[in-house]
Amino acid sequence: MLKYALLGFLNYQTASGYDLKQLMDVSTSNFWHAKQSQIYTTLKALEKDALVVSHIEPQESRPNRRVYEITTAGQEDLKNWTAQPITEIESRKEKLLLKLFFSAQLEPEIILTELRLQKNLHQAQLEKYQTITKEVIKQFASSLDMQEDAKLWETTRRFGELYTEMYIRWLDETIENLEG
Amino acid sequence: MLKYALLGFLNYQTASGYDLKQLMDVSTSNFWHAKQSQIYTTLKALEKDALVVSHIEPQESRPNRRVYEITTAGQEDLKNWTAQPITEIESRKEKLLLKLFFSAQLEPEIILTELRLQKNLHQAQLEKYQTITKEVIKQFASSLDMQEDAKLWETTRRFGELYTEMYIRWLDETIENLEG
DNA sequence: GAATACATGTAAAATGTTACATGATTTT
DNA sequence: AAAATCATGTAACATTTTACATGTATTC
């Protein structure tokens, strides 16, 4: 799957593994993320499959950059993938809920402290979606002149916003429930 | 992580790998799931670490069952884990959003068809949370006399409900946005 | 007669995380 | 003086998925 995230970005412009990590962190991290090391190994695999090609870009006073470019085969693979519909619901994993499910023997105060901490974290996250992420999308959209693309990016930002609002609401409900 | 899901269930009652899969499917699948094969291999690892013990239960006209029981060490490990607070936000992966993010070159109708299909799937899921899942929790709670535990289980069911409602709302917004 | 439920597992492949290794430049 | 940024990668480990393998009993 990470494969397609990388092809997707490279379909806009060439980039190094380092660049791709930065791009993901400010754009898709809301619904797709990866460690730097995994990005490097996946890029290598993509080059082996001839979906991308790379060349070294020498730099003074900085380590050399290995810059990747998508190939025609890569573009086709990407397009095939986007055109293929998903016919199932994605299943989630939420460590916090798992813990909560099995926490009946715990002191209620311990649970409540954890939920309150989560609320703080999610409130900070929500602000990020509403300010930084929104700004980043605007910047990209205007600088590259891609209003149409930005429309889709905005829908994914909106998901993050709605999700986090929902999460906070659930935390509020749950906290109230356990306090009473 | 699956480790703790299994210990959590075994802390209530002994069970086979098959039983545990059934239990997860009707209770935690909303926020934690696993394949049958992974459950078997994880149980084996847990027994090696002496967190569970197993014995064979012979059956007539059915394959024998290997039934697992949690040990004192297992109970301690589980309790330690539940008491340990999570200090970060869980990061999600949503294939659909990833695809959407990179779908600007696609015909809008292809995207819309996919989103409408997702809406159907999520509506069915929502009903499930509101009927079957709710009923299952009630049944467990009364049959085992654990109103306190059921309170927590109910909060995780509620999360599934709120999440799915949010998802449908986002789909509606996004569909409208792309239609216009 | 076919599909599902019951019941267990192994092996291989894919995916993802953590730790290690290096080293200059810039910011705090 | 310490921490963060720039920049790349490998190795080991852990987790998860998919495929394989087997066979009876019950339900549709």
Side-chain angles (χ1 to χ4, degrees):
Chain A
M1 238 42 252
L2 173 59
K3 169 183 170 179
Y4 292 110
L6 300 179
L7 288 177
F9 282 116
L10 292 173
N11 199 34
Y12 282 110
Q13 56 195 238
T14 61
S16 69
Y18 191 86
D19 295 339
L20 288 163
K21 171 65 173 158
Q22 310 301 111
L23 280 168
M24 288 186 80
D25 284 351
V26 296
S27 59
T28 66
S29 61
N30 171 22
F31 49 88
W32 211 271
H33 60 97
K35 304 274 167 173
Q36 188 70 71
S37 66
Q38 200 195 349
I39 292 176
Y40 284 127
T41 51
T42 305
L43 282 169
K44 219 177 193 179
L46 287 176
E47 185 155 37
K48 216 189 81 196
D49 293 346
L51 303 176
V52 301
V53 285
S54 75
H55 67 271
I56 299 280
E57 231 171 56
Q59 291 195 125
E60 299 158 21
S61 81
R62 283 260 179 252
N64 291 343
R65 289 157 49 82
R66 178 176 291 275
V67 177
Y68 288 87
E69 191 181 341
I70 194 167
T71 63
T72 312
Q75 289 179 321
E76 266 171 48
D77 196 340
L78 175 64
K79 190 154 191 191
N80 277 345
W81 175 71
T82 50
Q84 184 111 30
I86 296 171
T87 55
E88 280 163 28
I89 290 183
E90 179 107 344
S91 41
R92 283 152 292 129
K93 294 205 172 167
E94 272 283 341
K95 218 185 282 188
L96 183 75
L97 291 235
L98 184 65
K99 239 159 67 73
L100 192 60
F101 192 88
F102 291 119
S103 291
Q105 21 173 312
L106 235 57
E107 309 271 326
E109 261 314 312
I110 294 180
I111 302 176
L112 284 167
T113 302
E114 177 156 32
L115 296 177
R116 288 183 195 124
L117 168 61
Q118 282 289 319
K119 190 179 170 182
N120 286 338
L121 293 172
H122 278 85
Q123 264 167 339
Q125 180 62 69
L126 180 59
E127 264 177 62
K128 225 174 178 177
Y129 287 140
Q130 293 172 339
T131 56
I132 302 172
T133 310
K134 197 153 199 169
E135 207 43 53
V136 166
I137 290 172
K138 253 190 206 166
Q139 295 272 302
F140 268 87
S142 65
S143 73
L144 298 163
D145 193 39
M146 322 205 185
Q147 264 63 45
E148 275 312 302
D149 302 58
K151 212 173 170 183
L152 290 177
W153 303 343
E154 169 61 19
T155 67
T156 66
R157 185 205 64 83
R158 177 67 174 147
F159 184 93
E161 190 178 12
L162 284 174
Y163 176 82
T164 310
E165 282 172 358
M166 179 284 294
Y167 209 110
I168 292 169
R169 182 178 162 191
W170 173 77
L171 284 168
D172 282 339
E173 271 189 22
T174 306
I175 289 167
E176 203 180 329
N177 204 292
L178 297 183
E179 279 173 346
Chain B
M1 238 44 250
L2 174 59
K3 170 184 168 177
Y4 293 109
L6 300 179
L7 287 177
F9 282 116
L10 291 173
N11 199 33
Y12 282 112
Q13 56 194 239
T14 62
S16 69
Y18 190 87
D19 295 338
L20 288 163
K21 171 66 172 155
Q22 310 301 112
L23 280 168
M24 287 185 81
D25 284 351
V26 296
S27 59
T28 66
S29 61
N30 171 22
F31 50 88
W32 212 270
H33 61 95
K35 305 272 167 172
Q36 188 70 71
S37 65
Q38 200 194 351
I39 291 174
Y40 284 127
T41 50
T42 305
L43 283 169
K44 220 179 194 180
L46 287 176
E47 185 155 38
K48 213 188 85 198
D49 293 346
L51 303 176
V52 303
V53 285
S54 75
H55 68 269
I56 299 278
E57 233 172 56
Q59 290 193 124
E60 298 158 21
S61 81
R62 285 260 179 247
N64 290 344
R65 290 157 47 82
R66 178 176 291 275
V67 176
Y68 288 87
E69 190 181 343
I70 195 167
T71 63
T72 312
Q75 288 179 320
E76 266 171 48
D77 197 341
L78 175 65
K79 192 154 191 191
N80 277 345
W81 175 71
T82 50
Q84 184 111 29
I86 295 171
T87 55
E88 281 162 29
I89 289 183
E90 180 107 341
S91 41
R92 283 152 290 129
K93 295 207 171 165
E94 272 282 340
K95 219 184 281 188
L96 184 76
L97 292 234
L98 185 65
K99 239 159 66 75
L100 192 60
F101 191 87
F102 292 119
S103 291
Q105 24 174 311
L106 236 58
E107 309 271 327
E109 261 314 312
I110 293 179
I111 302 176
L112 283 167
T113 303
E114 177 156 33
L115 296 178
R116 290 184 193 119
L117 168 61
Q118 282 289 320
K119 189 178 170 181
N120 286 338
L121 293 172
H122 279 84
Q123 265 167 339
Q125 180 62 69
L126 180 58
E127 263 177 65
K128 225 175 180 177
Y129 287 140
Q130 293 172 339
T131 55
I132 302 172
T133 311
K134 197 152 199 170
E135 207 43 53
V136 166
I137 291 173
K138 251 190 209 167
Q139 295 273 302
F140 268 86
S142 66
S143 73
L144 296 164
D145 193 38
M146 325 209 185
Q147 264 63 45
E148 275 312 303
D149 301 58
K151 212 174 169 183
L152 290 177
W153 303 343
E154 168 63 18
T155 66
T156 66
R157 185 205 66 80
R158 177 67 175 147
F159 184 93
E161 189 179 13
L162 283 174
Y163 176 83
T164 310
E165 282 172 358
M166 180 284 294
Y167 209 110
I168 291 168
R169 181 178 161 190
W170 173 77
L171 285 167
D172 281 339
E173 272 189 23
T174 307
I175 288 166
E176 202 180 330
N177 204 294
L178 299 182
E179 279 172 346

